[in-house]
Amino acid sequence: MTLLIQSKKLIALTLVGFSLVCFIQSARSVSPTDGVGREQPDVTQRYDFNGDGHPDFVLITTFGQTAIWYLNNNIYLSGAGGPTLPLDWNLIDAADFNGNGHPDYALFDSRTRRTAIWYLNNNVLVSGAYGPTIPAGWALVAVGDSNGDAKPDYILYNSSTRQTAIWYLNNNVYVGGGFGPTLPFQWQLVGVADFNSDGHTDYILYNTNTRQTAIWYLSGRSLARGVYGPTITSGFQVIGAADFNGDGHPDYVLFNRLMHLTEIWYLDNNVYVSSAVGPDTPAGWRLRLP
């Protein structure tokens, strides 16, 4: 499949340009502390870039160039170039941080532990702002509305202790934080979504040895219970989850990096229902979101 990208309109940003576009705001940097968050439904569709009600794919190259692939369920409709990330910055997730109805990029620089929000209008970079700096030993791994205030929050992970933490944000500004559950050995946090439709963001876990997945149902920051999800086919990895078939249940998005293959696994809560092949990614590109 040919990647439909308006190459002349790609936004190539240097580190200098990035510093200019990320207007520094008073986002506090603190260590995770124990706090309490509100618990209300998250109604945000995080990966619908063109506003058609369907989640889309975000692709990226090793040079940080991004592209948006517009989908209808598992069917590729068209594509457009997105902004190019500066050196040392990684695209972690996407969500609507400024409340204008458009998903924005959440970026993380593991070298400096800085975070940034790139505000988008569809595939176009409009402006940027720095978010809170992550403490040493921690990394930004996902974004979700964990306290039910309809504002995306940071999900952090400490690889040494396997501890998670949730930082509550108002746009790009840190307003509070608390520890989340600690992951078992050999399990990774690969995404978040509300699988049991209780209005709380849940963890998607993946065991790299067994290829088993699990859903950890959260109530705010607290682990309520967990169940196993489907085991992933060899060669594929779980990229994230979104509701592709419009049944109100998040579905797994899988990617085979060697073969450039994508698949959508339709779930009912944690139960596999069926699957469909998604569009193949071009050589040099990999699926990053959802």
Side-chain angles (χ1 to χ4, degrees), residues 1 70-78 244 264 266 277-279:
M1 179 175 292
Y70 306 112
L71 302 185
N72 182 354
N73 197 336
N74 64 307
I75 305 299
Y76 171 89
L77 301 178
S78 63
F244 282 85
I264 297 172
Y266 303 110
V277 174

Side-chain angles (χ1 to χ4, degrees), residues 191-198 200-204 215-218:
V192 296
D194 180 11
F195 283 87
N196 58 349
S197 303
D198 66 349
H200 304 294
T201 296
D202 307 312
Y203 285 178
I204 311 168
I215 309 298
W216 274 14
Y217 303 113
L218 302 186

Side-chain angles (χ1 to χ4, degrees), residues 72-114:
N72 182 354
N73 197 336
N74 64 307
I75 305 299
Y76 171 89
L77 301 178
S78 63
T84 298
L85 308 187
L87 184 67
D88 295 324
W89 287 82
N90 296 303
L91 175 59
I92 303 301
D93 213 334
D96 181 12
F97 283 88
N98 59 353
N100 69 347
H102 301 288
D104 310 306
Y105 283 177
L107 309 183
F108 177 58
D109 183 341
S110 59
R111 180 178 52 88
T112 64
R113 304 192 308 277
R114 296 297 306 264

Side-chain angles (χ1 to χ4, degrees), residues 74 119-120 128 171 203 286:
N74 64 307
Y119 304 109
L120 303 184
N171 197 335
Y203 285 178
R286 63 184 175 91

Side-chain angles (χ1 to χ4, degrees), residues 195-196 212-215 217 225 227-231 245 247 249-252 264-275:
F195 283 87
N196 58 349
Q212 179 79 55
T213 66
I215 309 298
Y217 303 113
R225 65 187 182 94
V227 295
Y228 287 116
T231 299
N245 59 351
D247 65 351
H249 301 288
D251 309 307
Y252 281 177
I264 297 172
W265 282 17
Y266 303 110
L267 304 183
D268 183 353
N269 198 333
N270 65 306
V271 178
Y272 172 90
V273 177
S274 63
S275 65

